[in-house]
Amino acid sequence: MSRSRIPLLCGAAALVALCGPVLPAHAAAPAIAVPPDKIVIEVATVNGSGCPQGTAAVAVSLDNTAFTVTYSQYLAQVGRGTKPTDFRKNCQLNLIVHVPHGFTYAIASVDYRGYAHLEPGATGEQQASYYFQGQSQTAVKSHQFKGALDDNWQTTDTNEVAQYVWAPCGEQRNFNINTELTVGAGTSDPTKTTSFMAMDSTDGAINTVYRLAWKECPPKP
């Protein structure tokens, strides 16, 4: 996918959730100033079976506290009518985040949403990792699901304030997001049933929300 500049968006109903707090209620809020200038996110590369070209979109909230990624073909499935490779889908996003001068940011929390149909005995897994260019990849955060399940699903990855990984001040480091969905037949009968997990929605109302924490960079000596 060619590099593209993503405009600032917040008009759609899907982005209403972005106006919530940066941190979960149980976390102590640090002294963070939200930059007055708007951030712009460029998608450098998008790769993976869960996000073919043109099926992932990024939007930034008007208050600079979050951005979303919306998928339209992120579906893992197993069983009748599926291909052997369909049980696992992944997506790797490489983002260029243009930060206002004098500020740096970290990922405070991430909400993943989708829909799942897991037959009795089937299993599902959603996992993700995040890291800045040049830094060691963080530990993978994983969430497990078990059938029978036929409903919307949501998971949240939360970092405590002391565990925030801040983008280096005064440096341009691309931000990498790696996600994955996996579905297993388990004890269900894959010759008669189909189980799936999706990280998308036909009406675009389901998306992944990345909430940002901000702080001012120390003045240069």
Side-chain angles (χ1 to χ4, degrees):
M1 177 175 180
S2 60
R3 174 189 279 183
S4 59
R5 182 174 293 272
I6 304 300
L8 303 182
L9 301 172
C10 198
L15 301 184
V16 173
L18 299 184
C19 297
V22 173
L23 297 175
H26 65 272
I32 292 177
V34 176
D37 297 330
K38 295 304 176 184
I39 63 174
V40 175
I41 295 179
E42 291 183 70
V43 179
T45 58
V46 179
N47 293 299
S49 55
C51 53
Q53 183 174 347
T55 66
V58 180
V60 182
S61 67
L62 289 178
D63 60 4
N64 279 2
T65 63
F67 66 90
T68 66
V69 181
T70 304
Y71 303 96
S72 60
Q73 293 187 23
Y74 207 148
L75 175 71
Q77 55 185 343
V78 67
R80 187 175 56 184
T82 67
K83 300 176 183 177
T85 56
D86 286 345
F87 79 98
R88 176 186 177 273
K89 293 299 175 74
N90 75 299
C91 184
Q92 300 181 8
L93 296 176
N94 185 277
L95 305 178
I96 304 172
V97 182
H98 296 273
V99 178
H101 178 71
F103 288 86
T104 184
Y105 72 97
I107 300 299
S109 66
V110 187
D111 292 334
Y112 292 96
R113 299 181 178 90
Y115 191 88
H117 174 83
L118 299 177
E119 292 287 332
T123 61
E125 180 180 24
Q126 180 269 320
Q127 64 180 25
S129 61
Y130 328 91
Y131 62 98
F132 291 103
Q133 179 184 6
Q135 296 179 343
S136 298
Q137 187 163 335
T138 62
V140 174
K141 296 179 181 292
S142 179
H143 304 272
Q144 312 295 326
F145 299 84
K146 294 182 179 180
L149 174 65
D150 189 21
D151 203 351
N152 295 321
W153 61 268
Q154 177 175 338
T155 63
T156 299
D157 294 342
T158 302
N159 292 318
E160 299 297 335
V161 175
Q163 297 176 332
Y164 285 175
V165 179
W166 298 96
C169 282
E171 299 182 27
Q172 182 64 64
R173 297 284 186 91
N174 289 12
F175 180 55
N176 295 277
I177 304 169
N178 297 330
T179 59
E180 181 178 313
L181 288 178
T182 306
V183 176
T187 58
S188 68
D189 187 349
T191 65
K192 298 179 180 180
T193 63
T194 303
S195 296
F196 68 85
M197 282 190 68
M199 201 185 302
D200 60 16
S201 171
T202 56
D203 61 6
I206 295 178
N207 49 41
T208 301
V209 181
Y210 295 82
R211 292 184 173 84
L212 302 176
W214 291 96
K215 73 176 180 180
E216 295 187 77
C217 292
K220 294 183 178 180

